[in-house]
Amino acid sequence: MTTLPMSLTTNTPFDAPELSDVNEHFLDVIIHPLERPYTYKGPFHIAPGFQVTVPLHGRKATGYVVTTYLENPCKDPKVTIRSISKPDKSESCFLAEQLTLFQWISKYYHTPLSEVIDTAIPTLTPPKRERWVSLSQDTGQEQPKGGVQLAIIELLKEATTECTVQSLAGAGKSYITALKKLLEKGYVEINERLMSRQLLSVPRPAQLSLEQLQALDAILDSLTPCKNNTFLLHGITGSGKTEIYINAIIKARKLGLGCLVLVPEISLTPQLVSRLEEKIGERIALMHSGLTPSERAHYWRLALEGELRVVLGARSAVFSPIHNLGLIIVDEEHDSSFKQSDSLRYNGRDIAIVRAALAQCPIVLGSATPSLESYLNAKRGKYTLLEINQRHGTSKPPSLECIDLTKHPRSKMQSQNISLPLKEKIEQTIQNGNQVFLLFNRRGYASFMICDACGYTLFCEHCEVSLTYHESTSSLACHYCNKSYQIPPRCPSCSAPRLQNRGAGTEKIHEEVGKLFPTARIERLDRDSAKNLEDYRSILERVKNKEVDILVGTQMIAKGHDLPGVTLVGVVDCDVGLHMPDFRAAEKTFALLTQAAGRAGRGIDPGHVILQTRSPDHLSIVNTLKHNYSGFAENELKDRKDLGYPPYWRLMRIVASSENEELPEQALTLLTLNLASLVDENIGKLSVLGPSPAPIMRIKDRWRWHLLVKAENVTLMQRVLYYIKSNWKTPKSLRITYDIDAQEML
Ligand SMILES: [Zn+2]
Ligand SMILES: [Zn+2]
């Protein structure tokens, strides 16, 4: 008889482990950070998802059960299988069906399953359950007697749904005894749960336009019965995509389906959460990096036990346990924050698509500027394209205007970075009682400090990066290792006291605008002024309450905000980011400009957008001005196809870094030679670019080189990666990262 892996059987991890004397039970346990699972003998069946403590090379280790067997899977009699006692916790840590997803991620990103699980699951503490008291549907035969019993019933009636046992203490000293009596008589029910079952309100579907209704209908068609369809919801900014999501979630919940909503990190504001909760009429589980570990564990547990059935969060929410998953929504699917930039370099959007396929449910990818990957999939008919070309309600798309900075020399401007037309428009907007957003996508005061006498530029001691001057702290900072430095009184090279600030950042723009408009209320929104979600929320709250006239900020101001008072958006310098060494620079710039422009005129008053640039003919800018997404996308796709870049080819970036300056280059050169022989084998279209020094040659004292591997399809890319991993031996002092479907090129 062959051994049957039982990891995906009907055993839910909710089955409390039961003593069984029938068979021996074998289980595979995955232990972080080890690559392969270890087999142990258990006293009874322990379902996948349970955490266990196991003996390992003379010490104790914790891991998760991933597979169970009825007979010993190890056929080698010389191998001793060690025994374990019982699970660490009486509850499982994830759902059995999540394991399939974790295994897929492990394979695709060539990362040990133990690391995937370690990334996915928060540290779970024993859950705190409360006892909830509610009135029974059918009242008992015996009448309640005595003041305390009657008082309890009154309190429960007032609460309309249920209360904790402790909250009934006001009924009288002997409330526990009275409660026991009521329970015996069948007047009340007591349930032990993590939270109240209370419905917040009746779900309130949003009013939709004809275009919105058509899009919604297509999505709803895939809910009854549930089938796996990927929708690309391309709606212009302000077209009301959120309203469609809300209606789809309400419908899915009516059908008893669980929902997953992914949003880019920063747009996860408490307002969005309460708005969603109010509309869909139930509490939502949150998952994002702004939560404390215990909050994250709490929500995970609530979702795992099915108390909360809608999960909302940033990329890591894609791992959440969700019962009967029936709908996934990825808002702003183009946003690069869905890609994790360290350790397990996964893309939350891509995993969401796989997850929908595994769950056989629909997924909606929404954006005003879809990623070219998604757009091409829609063009090829792999995804269903849903388009909304009109703004929701009465607002109209903003008018756009381009200011060619080459025709506005600095010498003729009152300020270094704000042209006269932009200045006049700001003035007029504030006078009309409206608000202004000014985008400058670089933080700090000056982008570098240079000696006027010898041209020496101040660099970080640990990175090949020029230091940014921050006026607010009067210090220099490295934006890569976060080290801050005192400003030297003299040039470290020639000792001349002539160090000067050059380039600009949000702090500098803030200062300039302050000089131009001394009476205006100006605030700044960037990573320095909003260090956490609370700061972020309060800045936006002040804008919403019209306590701010002008908000200067980085790309943080371009994210999904719906602030009706903002009628003017000025992009101070469209060219920041346009000339980055990144093949996606044009795509990212187009998306940023379109998203920023979309903040203007979302209320009654029409919006206006001013783009300041020295490259007025660049297609990112020309097409932003014309509201022409498809024009931009078609042109960019043609270039990508010609050059063999994503979305036509798959791309992997291999970065080698070491404290030794020579090692990364040597290692990658050797690898390139090996790969060349693979290219000659004609296994498919494959191309290797490099090795070359990474654009940032040194970070945190490590020298960096990189190599780009392009393959015509995903299977070939996986073959290449497998080949490299099994044939390439590198010294320990060399750190190699494989970034599959890389977004980051620095
Ligand atoms: Zn000098
Ligand atoms: Zn540094």
Side-chain angles (χ1 to χ4, degrees):
M1 200 181 117
T2 53
T3 50
L4 282 177
M6 291 173 58
S7 58
L8 298 171
T9 62
T10 50
N11 284 311
T12 75
F14 293 99
D15 293 339
E18 277 170 26
L19 276 171
S20 146
D21 52 359
V22 192
N23 275 312
E24 285 186 301
H25 295 268
F26 294 89
L27 32 108
D28 279 351
V29 176
I30 206 91
I31 302 154
H32 186 246
L34 305 176
E35 292 248 354
R36 67 168 184 90
Y38 283 70
T39 305
Y40 292 90
K41 205 163 19 178
F44 41 68
H45 172 71
I46 303 173
F50 276 85
Q51 192 182 315
V52 288
T53 301
V54 295
L56 181 81
H57 310 311
R59 61 179 176 100
K60 278 195 157 89
T62 49
Y64 296 98
V65 177
V66 290
T67 317
T68 60
Y69 307 91
L70 288 172
E71 1 176 298
N72 189 350
C74 178
K75 295 297 164 220
D76 185 350
K78 277 182 266 169
V79 175
T80 14
I81 304 278
R82 318 267 316 255
S83 295
I84 60 165
S85 51
K86 61 175 177 47
D88 295 356
K89 301 182 173 98
S90 54
E91 290 93 1
S92 76
C93 298
F94 56 87
L95 299 173
E97 68 250 32
Q98 284 178 270
L99 191 59
T100 329
L101 182 73
F102 298 156
Q103 282 161 337
W104 183 91
I105 297 168
S106 162
K107 265 202 181 130
Y108 185 79
Y109 292 103
H110 288 248
T111 303
L113 181 60
S114 66
E115 193 179 326
V116 174
I117 293 180
D118 190 65
T119 307
I121 300 178
T123 311
L124 295 174
T125 41
K128 273 198 213 110
R129 291 175 204 286
E130 296 245 44
R131 283 182 299 157
W132 296 90
V133 188
S134 58
L135 285 169
S136 304
Q137 293 294 340
D138 335 288
T139 46
Q141 303 289 315
E142 220 182 309
Q143 290 301 309
K145 257 186 262 162
V148 184
Q149 287 185 23
L150 287 169
I152 289 177
I153 290 189
E154 274 315 302
L155 282 173
L156 285 171
K157 276 183 183 162
E158 268 171 41
T160 65
T161 49
E162 54 184 4
C163 323
T164 57
V165 169
Q166 292 88 325
S167 68
L168 296 170
K173 257 189 178 171
S174 57
Y175 77 103
I176 295 285
T177 326
L179 199 55
K180 275 184 192 156
K181 280 270 181 279
L182 286 171
L183 190 65
E184 279 166 24
K185 290 175 185 174
Y187 269 90
V188 296
E189 283 170 17
I190 299 182
N191 288 296
E192 201 169 80
R193 283 201 311 274
L194 290 165
M195 62 174 280
S196 161
R197 275 263 158 85
Q198 196 179 348
L199 255 190
L200 289 178
S201 56
V202 180
R204 287 190 298 133
Q207 287 293 313
L208 301 182
S209 68
L210 187 64
E211 272 187 323
Q212 285 175 309
L213 272 176
Q214 284 166 344
L216 177 67
D217 279 349
I219 298 164
L220 296 189
D221 262 356
S222 290
L223 283 176
T224 45
C226 218
K227 44 188 171 293
N228 180 226
N229 260 331
T230 306
F231 296 98
L232 177 60
L233 178 59
H234 176 208
I236 61 164
T237 54
S239 61
K241 292 182 285 292
T242 312
E243 312 303 320
I244 298 175
Y245 305 150
I246 290 168
N247 282 282
I249 296 169
I250 292 174
K251 178 72 183 180
R253 293 298 302 124
K254 273 193 187 145
L255 295 165
L257 301 168
C259 304
L260 169 65
V261 185
L262 297 184
V263 295
E265 188 80 45
I266 211 67
S267 40
L268 199 68
T269 61
Q271 289 98 315
L272 172 69
V273 177
S274 50
R275 179 173 162 213
L276 257 179
E277 286 187 329
E278 193 188 311
K279 291 269 187 176
I280 66 173
E282 59 182 286
R283 297 277 303 280
I284 291 173
L286 289 184
M287 298 282 173
H288 59 85
S289 58
L291 298 176
T292 62
S294 72
E295 284 170 328
R296 201 168 160 234
H298 177 65
Y299 282 123
W300 182 278
R301 181 65 72 193
L302 285 167
L304 184 64
E305 300 200 2
E307 296 274 348
L308 294 182
R309 304 287 301 279
V310 180
V311 174
L312 171 82
R315 59 175 180 261
S316 66
V318 77
F319 302 120
S320 309
I322 300 168
H323 285 265
N324 197 16
L325 179 62
L327 176 67
I328 302 181
I329 288 161
V330 183
D331 191 26
E332 309 293 356
E333 66 88 29
H334 66 278
D335 200 292
S336 55
S337 74
F338 284 119
K339 182 85 157 79
Q340 173 136 310
S341 57
D342 52 14
S343 50
L344 175 56
R345 289 160 193 267
Y346 67 95
N347 187 320
R349 175 202 60 202
D350 296 350
I351 295 181
I353 295 167
V354 172
R355 191 160 184 190
L358 291 172
Q360 283 299 299
C361 77
I363 174 168
V364 183
L365 310 175
S367 176
T369 50
S371 64
L372 292 180
E373 281 79 2
S374 300
Y375 182 70
L376 184 64
N377 277 326
K379 270 181 56 139
R380 286 172 168 170
K382 229 176 129 185
Y383 298 173
T384 310
L385 182 65
L386 306 170
E387 285 188 297
I388 309 178
N389 296 311
Q390 274 162 8
R391 274 199 169 180
H392 181 55
T394 50
S395 83
K396 296 266 171 300
S399 52
L400 288 108
E401 170 187 358
C402 179
I403 306 275
D404 181 351
L405 286 177
T406 58
K407 298 193 176 114
H408 293 262
R410 285 224 162 108
S411 53
K412 293 205 175 138
M413 277 162 38
Q414 278 172 296
S415 104
Q416 280 209 330
N417 294 286
I418 311 287
S419 67
L420 194 61
L422 178 56
K423 186 201 158 219
E424 284 170 353
K425 200 77 193 177
I426 296 174
E427 203 157 26
Q428 193 189 335
T429 307
I430 309 176
Q431 268 168 12
N432 291 342
N434 287 319
Q435 294 163 296
V436 181
F437 270 13
L438 288 180
L439 170 73
F440 192 88
N441 202 16
R442 194 189 292 133
R443 60 203 177 95
Y445 184 88
S447 40
F448 57 100
M449 237 184 173
I450 190 165
C451 169
D452 235 8
C454 73
Y456 179 87
T457 306
L458 292 178
F459 269 66
C460 176
E461 287 167 11
H462 308 280
C463 314
E464 285 294 300
V465 174
S466 59
L467 295 169
T468 304
Y469 172 59
H470 286 257
E471 173 101 323
S472 54
T473 51
S474 296
S475 62
L476 295 161
C478 169
H479 286 179
Y480 284 83
C481 69
N482 287 328
K483 191 176 156 76
S484 79
Y485 296 81
Q486 296 270 316
I487 299 160
R490 291 169 175 277
C491 168
S493 174
C494 73
S495 299
R498 289 170 63 183
L499 288 169
Q500 300 282 328
N501 292 319
R502 290 284 165 78
T506 40
E507 284 182 10
K508 177 88 192 324
I509 305 299
H510 184 264
E511 184 191 86
E512 268 185 53
V513 177
K515 280 182 188 155
L516 291 174
F517 306 99
T519 56
R521 297 162 302 172
I522 308 166
E523 290 224 29
R524 210 180 81 222
L525 179 63
D526 55 31
R527 280 224 314 276
D528 301 303
S529 71
K531 287 198 163 52
N532 53 47
L533 268 181
E534 195 42 50
D535 297 342
Y536 179 73
R537 194 195 64 80
S538 79
I539 293 172
L540 286 174
E541 195 64 28
R542 287 199 291 282
V543 177
K544 196 178 157 198
N545 297 337
K546 291 217 158 183
E547 291 161 30
V548 175
D549 300 312
I550 304 170
L551 183 69
V552 177
T554 54
Q555 41 86 25
M556 283 168 93
I557 67 170
K559 309 260 168 175
H561 317 302
D562 194 7
L563 298 154
V566 178
T567 58
L568 176 66
V569 169
V571 182
V572 178
D573 189 348
C574 296
D575 312 344
V576 176
L578 202 54
H579 308 296
M580 293 288 249
D582 177 351
F583 71 94
R584 286 194 181 89
E587 183 183 358
K588 286 177 180 165
T589 301
F590 175 80
L592 177 65
L593 297 179
T594 301
Q595 297 288 347
R599 300 313 112 209
R602 296 172 78 104
I604 302 157
D605 292 336
H608 188 68
V609 179
I610 292 181
L611 306 179
Q612 297 195 141
T613 176
R614 284 181 182 79
S615 327
D617 299 326
H618 194 285
L619 285 176
S620 297
I621 290 158
V622 173
N623 285 304
T624 303
L625 288 167
K626 289 197 272 188
H627 299 283
N628 189 1
Y629 170 80
S630 60
F632 171 78
E634 292 298 338
N635 200 76
E636 188 68 17
L637 279 177
K638 195 185 158 295
D639 287 354
R640 301 275 183 93
K641 193 174 189 178
D642 292 347
L643 297 168
Y645 271 104
Y648 291 94
W649 288 46
R650 303 300 279 233
L651 178 91
M652 169 170 62
R653 180 176 182 233
I654 304 175
V655 181
S657 73
S658 168
E659 286 182 8
N660 177 319
E661 199 175 339
E662 273 86 48
L663 218 50
E665 182 186 4
Q666 286 166 5
L668 287 183
T669 306
L670 196 68
L671 175 66
T672 310
L673 286 174
N674 268 298
L675 289 176
S677 63
L678 204 65
V679 173
D680 292 341
E681 276 176 36
N682 257 333
I683 50 170
K685 283 189 196 156
L686 188 68
S687 141
V688 180
L689 302 181
S692 56
I696 299 173
M697 268 190 78
R698 190 173 55 125
I699 296 181
K700 296 182 190 170
D701 292 320
R702 300 185 74 90
W703 295 91
R704 307 164 75 241
W705 277 66
H706 71 168
L707 190 68
L708 297 182
V709 179
K710 298 189 295 173
E712 64 176 336
N713 58 48
V714 66
T715 323
L716 181 60
M717 181 59 84
Q718 291 290 335
R719 274 182 70 185
V720 173
L721 185 51
Y722 182 79
Y723 170 86
I724 297 174
K725 285 212 150 184
S726 37
N727 292 296
W728 191 35
K729 300 282 171 277
T730 54
K732 270 220 169 97
S733 57
L734 195 70
R735 193 184 295 151
I736 307 288
T737 53
Y738 299 94
D739 193 355
I740 297 161
D741 305 327
Q743 289 271 346
E744 181 66 62
M745 291 295 141
L746 299 176

